[in-house]
Amino acid sequence: MLQSYLNESLLPVTDEGDFKKLKKAADELAKKMVKNKVKISSFTLSMLDPDVAPDSADILEAKDIIVKNWNTFAVNAKDTPLTFIRAVILDALNNISTNLDNALIIWFTSRNVFRYMKLGTAECQIFQKFLFKLANEINDVAIADWGLKQLDFKASSEFTLDEISEYKINKADLQKLLEDASGPTNSSNKSNFDSPNEYFPDEGSVWSYEFAPKAAAAIKKVIDSSLDGIVKVVNENIAEIERAVNGAATEFQRDLVLQNKTLNFRSELLWWKESGYSTNLDLGYSDVNHTALGIVMAKDYVDMLPVICPKSVDHFFKSTLKVNIVNSDEEISIQEFLEELSGQECILKTLFPKVTIDADKMSLLDFLIALIYDRCTVAEFESKSGIPISTQLSRLNLNQWLYHDIQLQKILN
């Protein structure tokens, strides 16, 4: 990420040593982030806000780490200190995003808000590329977890067998053994092995008593040697077939279980959509005030699902919202949306218990929870989130935004 900032001339760093100091600071900050999942979300929001307060806790914490690794930071970055700090934060987030749990936090924290932040074109492209990478990686995991890939026993049971190349009887060995069975010496007047026949054929019946067992042993030895080679390859091939078939059967069974699990999820989601019933409120959606309905549906939906879901689950929720929410396509400001929820505190408190939020930056859901428990006012939204309160969105998108924030809350808890 730091290199991307350099490539876009966003960081005036020309000395390789200074660049390494920034990288070291990012590595150190990453280690601190992973100790507190909530901080990952807070740092993500702080990084996304180019107007973040220089004295906010996240910025000061990152700055202290940078100064620790680069003593002359204040002098070198006097014109753009926030850009340096936010670039280091993004590099740290990139470092920890190799862990799926961390990637999920970053993704759900930023997926809705980043488009409403006042990022410059270059910064926006850098973060967008990073975010799309996370989205694709998470979706790939979700597809695998949900068993959405096509079942194919044949593809998973392919194997390669060895050819039986050494199966012929060794003529030279057989000849030497039969020479020894025929008499004490061969045509070269010597024996080939120990214990040859002590008699020549012209010595009568005693020769035949020796010849028959020795010739039989000789023939058996060379045939056994040939068969051993065949058996070895055959046994190896049997083992390879068993390994492939057993492995394929195990994989097929796992995929089948995942597909059954997915079918169960699909059935539950379809029943939820058709029944129009809130498990959290024990009410039909038709009995819930329309201003809070989308939030109630989002909470019910998230409670039904695992943390990781494919994109299709997101679209299913959106289509269900569209059916149930009055004037779902109507655009209103965030301020109007929050003010409309006045009087719905009882329902919302049923869904979201009071929690302590220490982060500098708040998600839309965090701010809503703080609002219903009288810990902030609507007017504070922009300073708490970094997003203009006048931002216009459709009711559908506002409620889907909260659905994503509830997913984040589930991950953090």
Side-chain angles (χ1 to χ4, degrees):
M1 293 294 107
L2 284 171
Q3 187 61 55
S4 297
Y5 270 70
L6 283 178
N7 293 344
E8 295 295 335
S9 302
L10 296 173
L11 296 180
V13 176
T14 56
D15 185 273
E16 186 176 349
D18 293 339
F19 179 77
K20 289 180 179 179
K21 292 170 186 175
L22 289 174
K23 288 291 290 182
K24 187 175 180 182
D27 293 342
E28 188 174 334
L29 180 59
K31 292 176 183 177
K32 294 194 71 173
M33 281 185 186
V34 295
K35 294 178 181 179
N36 184 345
K37 292 191 291 185
V38 175
K39 293 292 287 182
I40 297 174
S41 180
S42 178
F43 270 112
T44 301
L45 291 173
S46 293
M47 179 273 143
L48 282 170
D49 185 5
D51 296 326
V52 61
D55 58 350
S56 66
D58 292 338
I59 296 300
L60 289 177
E61 185 175 352
K63 181 180 178 181
D64 287 343
I65 293 174
I66 295 172
V67 171
K68 174 185 170 185
N69 289 278
W70 188 11
N71 295 332
T72 59
F73 169 70
V75 176
N76 286 276
K78 60 182 179 180
D79 294 328
T80 54
L82 271 180
T83 303
F84 273 88
I85 295 169
R86 291 172 48 253
V88 167
I89 292 174
L90 181 55
D91 201 68
L93 291 171
N94 182 57
N95 290 346
I96 66 173
S97 68
T98 53
N99 176 280
L100 180 61
D101 291 336
N102 297 336
L104 285 167
I105 294 171
I106 299 167
W107 165 240
F108 281 116
T109 298
S110 56
R111 63 176 298 178
N112 289 109
V113 303
F114 93 94
R115 70 195 68 185
Y116 303 111
M117 295 295 191
K118 302 171 185 176
L119 296 171
T121 303
E123 264 196 307
C124 185
Q125 290 176 348
I126 291 170
F127 189 81
Q128 191 174 50
K129 184 177 180 180
F130 168 61
L131 196 62
F132 283 1
K133 178 178 74 74
L134 294 186
N136 290 332
E137 291 172 353
I138 291 169
N139 192 58
D140 288 344
V141 173
I143 289 173
D145 284 354
W146 277 59
L148 297 179
K149 67 180 183 180
Q150 184 178 359
L151 294 176
D152 188 352
F153 185 85
K154 180 181 177 181
S156 57
S157 60
E158 293 178 353
F159 51 84
T160 302
L161 300 180
D162 293 332
E163 293 184 2
I164 301 174
S165 57
E166 297 181 6
Y167 58 89
K168 293 183 178 180
I169 293 174
N170 191 311
K171 178 182 177 182
D173 285 350
L174 179 60
Q175 180 174 332
K176 290 178 181 178
L177 289 166
L178 289 178
E179 284 177 353
D180 280 10
S182 299
T185 59
N186 56 20
S187 59
S188 300
N189 201 32
K190 63 180 181 179
S191 64
N192 295 302
F193 307 102
D194 295 336
S195 304
N197 191 337
E198 296 178 3
Y199 307 98
F200 285 107
D202 58 0
E203 295 186 54
S205 59
V206 291
W207 173 82
S208 64
Y209 299 152
E210 288 285 326
F211 175 76
K214 289 184 181 296
I219 294 170
K220 180 179 183 304
K221 183 175 180 179
V222 294
I223 291 177
D224 283 352
S225 178
S226 175
L227 291 175
D228 284 346
I230 295 172
V231 169
K232 180 176 181 295
V233 175
V234 169
N235 286 340
E236 288 175 351
N237 285 342
I238 291 173
E240 172 66 13
I241 293 171
E242 288 179 347
R243 182 201 62 75
V245 172
N246 289 339
T250 300
E251 183 177 346
F252 187 81
Q253 182 182 32
R254 183 183 68 246
D255 292 343
L256 188 61
V257 169
L258 285 173
Q259 287 219 344
N260 286 336
K261 181 181 176 183
T262 302
L263 290 174
N264 288 336
F265 274 134
R266 289 174 175 173
S267 297
E268 288 181 28
L269 296 182
L270 288 170
W271 177 244
W272 169 74
K273 182 175 183 178
E274 291 299 320
S275 66
Y277 170 74
S278 170
T279 53
N280 281 295
L281 299 183
D282 193 19
L283 289 172
Y285 289 140
S286 59
D287 298 321
V288 179
N289 185 286
H290 70 92
T291 57
L293 178 57
I295 303 172
V296 174
M297 292 178 66
K299 185 65 168 65
D300 289 336
Y301 194 62
V302 171
D303 287 349
M304 294 170 59
L305 298 170
V307 171
I308 303 176
C309 302
K311 294 176 183 177
S312 56
V313 174
D314 209 69
H315 290 285
F316 182 84
F317 178 68
K318 191 170 185 177
S319 66
T320 307
L321 276 179
K322 197 173 181 68
V323 171
N324 288 274
I325 294 179
V326 177
N327 299 325
S328 61
D329 292 327
E330 179 190 2
E331 289 205 350
I332 59 173
S333 68
I334 294 176
Q335 180 175 352
E336 290 172 314
F337 177 72
L338 294 173
E339 289 174 347
E340 281 184 356
L341 292 171
S342 177
Q344 301 304 311
E345 289 85 359
C346 184
I347 289 178
L348 296 176
K349 286 178 180 178
T350 302
L351 302 177
F352 308 109
K354 188 176 183 178
V355 293
T356 301
I357 302 172
D358 296 324
D360 272 351
K361 291 292 181 181
M362 291 184 177
S363 66
L364 178 58
L365 177 65
D366 287 340
F367 185 83
L368 179 59
I369 294 173
L371 186 65
I372 63 176
Y373 286 102
D374 298 319
R375 296 187 57 206
C376 65
T377 64
V378 172
E380 295 178 88
F381 177 78
E382 188 163 346
S383 63
K384 295 289 187 181
S385 68
I387 301 169
I389 197 169
S390 59
T391 300
Q392 297 270 331
L393 293 91
S394 69
R395 294 181 183 277
L396 185 67
N397 287 335
L398 277 165
N399 283 290
Q400 188 156 25
W401 182 340
L402 283 168
Y403 155 61
H404 295 147
D405 281 356
I406 296 170
Q407 286 181 296
L408 173 62
Q409 185 188 62
K410 187 173 184 177
I411 297 167
L412 294 176
N413 293 336

